[in-house]
C-alpha cells in the first residue's frame, strides 16, 4: 500500500510542477510519465532500507513509529531524481 501511495504522491507532485511550469505540453506529459518509474525506484530504496533495518535491529521496530522512518530518506531522493 505504501508503494501505491508513493506513486500517487509523485504523480501529484509532477502534475503540480507541470501546472506551474511555463514549458510545453509535451514536457508536462513527460514529467507525469517519468513520475511512476521514479516512485518505483524510491520505493525499492525504501523496501531495501526496511529489510536492512529488520536484519540489523529485528522486526519489532517496524510496528511502531519507526516504520515510517525509511520514507524520510526515500522521499527526498525521489524528489531529487
Amino acid at each position: 500500500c505504501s508503494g501505491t501511495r508513493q506513486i500517487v504522491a509523485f504523480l501529484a507532485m509532477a502534475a503540480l510542477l507541470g501546472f506551474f511550469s511555463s514549458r510545453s505540453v509535451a514536457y508536462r506529459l513527460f514529467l507525469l510519465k517519468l513520475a511512476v518509474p521514479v516512485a518505483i525506484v524510491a520505493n525499492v530504496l525504501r523496501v531495501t532500507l526496511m529489510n536492512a533495518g529488520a536484519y540489523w535491529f529485528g522486526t519489532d521496530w517496524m510496528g511502531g513509529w519507526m516504520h515510517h522512518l525509511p520514507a524520510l530518506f526515500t522521499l527526498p531522493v525521489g524528489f531529487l531524481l
Side-chain angles (χ1 to χ4, degrees), residues 8-75:
V8 170
F10 279 100
L11 281 172
M13 180 59 79
L16 187 67
L17 288 173
F19 179 76
F20 288 116
S21 173
S22 60
R23 298 193 180 200
S24 68
V25 174
Y27 174 80
R28 294 174 188 185
L29 291 175
F30 178 71
L31 193 62
L32 276 175
K33 188 176 178 179
L34 200 59
V36 174
V38 166
I40 290 171
V41 168
N43 195 47
V44 167
L45 178 62
R46 183 186 65 82
V47 170
T48 303
L49 287 174
M50 289 182 73
N51 282 333
Y55 178 76
W56 288 322
F57 307 116
T59 57
D60 292 336
W61 69 275
M62 287 190 211
W65 64 272
M66 289 181 62
H67 177 75
H68 302 289
L69 193 63
L72 293 176
F73 297 105
T74 60
L75 287 175

